[in-house]
Amino acid sequence: MDESSPLIPRFSRENRRSSSKCSLSCRYALTILSMLGFCVMYTIRVNLSIALVEMANSTDTNNDDGLQSSNCDEEGWCNTTWTRSASKGRKFDWNEETRGIILGAFFYGFLVTQLPGGWLASKFGGKNVFGLGVLFTSVLTLLTPLAANHSVAALVAVRILEGLCQGVTYPSVQVLLSSWAPPLERSKLTTIAIAGCDIGNIIAQPISGWLCDSTFLGGWPSVFYVFGVLGILWYIAWFFLAYEKPASHPRISEEEKEYILLSIGTSQDKVLKKHSVPWLAIFTSPPVYANLIAFFCANWGYYTFLTSLPTYFKDILGFKILEDGILSSIPYLCCTIVEIIASVLADWLISTGSKIADVRKVFNTGAFLVPTCLLISVSYIGSDGKVLAVALISASMGFSALCESGYSVNQMDIAPRYVGIISGIGNAIGSASGVIAPFVVGWLTKNEPTRRQWQKVLYITAIIYVLGTVGFVLLAKGEEQSWNTPKDENPLPVEFEQEQDKTGLAAEDGQNTSINNI
């Protein structure tokens, strides 16, 4: 093959538009459904962070029935004593350490099912694993108020089970998209799907604050009822509208199916031969370790804010619960805007000839280093600089979303066949930060939620971001790794098959201008 020939065929915009007869192509419809699933999933994950501010209002002494005291044992577990009015839920006397344990409980389960989630998706299909993960999480969410009223241990158990169910979702979607996302749309489609996480935060934060501040279904319990029901409704739509592969979709046009198969290779849409996973090659691959390092570092920053931002706004900046919910959603709005713009830019850069590795490294570096500088600045701002603090935190979260076009999609670049497994391993490692970060925040701010203590939290996050930058820049690659394709399967390289197809397409359509840059 001519060295000037790219590995990925360049289709013209006209060719891409004509790939589906529908106004909304099936691959984008699936991506939007996935986005809504992540949206529901994250409303369920984050609602406790807002509700906990109201649930654990231990300083409120003006309730009608008074707030009884409770005793905590040496391990930090507290018996929950409460007051009940005619219209509001119980109030629990939980200290900072107990809150950290409750917030971190989700990630114990989330960590365990990451790797099994990728394997299950490869075996039973990403559609089934993703859908059932969201459905079971939604049912458990409906049980959260009952568990909280019973005991801290019961609440922790429910959150662990929710984590177990949600742990399978991210790797299962990666497996699903590996059969639907053409390489030149990979950043965009993956980012649109994952953007549901930030959209879920945008929705959950203000709505949860409003529900907690209201008397609807008892105040804070309504947060779990509302989002739990939404999750069940989403699953019904997902069950009937989502399909595992282009070949199994009854409404996909032949043009769109052909475009997808020509772009990613027909082998991606076939039942693959059974091969043993090349574990040794995976665990000795530097590009894999680049992704694992990035997973941990990015998730440390993300989960620190996800679980602790409402508490920071309340304790340090002095916002009330309703304001807290609204303001906590602003950083995630910035994330959504930045990650979508970045995905379009990343795909455009790759389509114009930029190396995939260079694009991934540049975006990942921006996602880590810019927030590092902003977080250090935030640590010196007190309650007298509320507007500036919110602006800097929002900007920090926004720039961190650049990683969705960095390491987040890089697993699909280097090993599309094993993306579920690598993503599962990475998310398991990243989820460890979800366990550790809330505990560290709770430990540092225990009985002393001051700006000085929160400075330590923000500095730790900044240092971890720097380490993530160095690791990814040194180790990351953009090309598919040799161990991704088993030798005994002996498929034709995708580019050779595409070269033949392109010649046929040019002759049939007479659109030489569409592909004359190949």
Side-chain angles (χ1 to χ4, degrees), residues 337-488:
I337 295 172
V338 170
E339 65 191 358
I340 291 176
I341 294 175
S343 69
V344 175
L345 179 58
D347 282 341
W348 177 79
L349 289 172
I350 293 172
S351 70
T352 56
S354 297
K355 293 182 179 180
I356 294 176
D358 293 341
V359 173
R360 303 300 182 218
K361 289 178 181 181
V362 167
F363 279 82
N364 217 70
T365 299
F368 284 168
L369 290 189
V370 176
T372 295
C373 300
L374 295 174
L375 288 176
I376 292 174
S377 301
V378 170
S379 68
Y380 292 95
I381 300 174
S383 59
D384 54 341
K386 293 181 179 180
V387 175
L388 180 58
V390 172
L392 291 178
I393 290 174
S394 299
S396 174
M397 290 287 288
F399 279 103
S400 69
L402 292 173
C403 70
E404 298 300 342
S405 295
Y407 85 89
S408 187
V409 73
N410 188 234
Q411 310 111 61
M412 209 177 294
D413 296 326
I414 63 173
R417 183 184 296 262
Y418 301 108
V419 64
I421 292 174
I422 297 174
S423 175
I425 297 171
N427 271 287
I429 293 174
S431 299
S433 64
V435 176
I436 300 169
F439 177 79
V440 170
V441 173
W443 178 70
L444 288 174
T445 60
K446 181 182 179 182
N447 301 323
E448 192 182 356
T450 62
R451 182 166 63 87
R452 181 180 295 275
Q453 293 303 105
W454 275 96
Q455 275 184 331
K456 298 176 183 178
V457 173
L458 297 175
Y459 264 101
I460 290 173
T461 304
I463 292 171
I464 289 175
Y465 273 159
V466 172
L467 295 177
T469 301
V470 175
F472 193 81
V473 168
L474 292 179
L475 301 176
K477 300 291 183 182
E479 64 273 8
E480 183 178 313
Q481 300 300 290
S482 59
W483 44 263
N484 178 68
T485 303
K487 294 180 180 179
D488 61 340

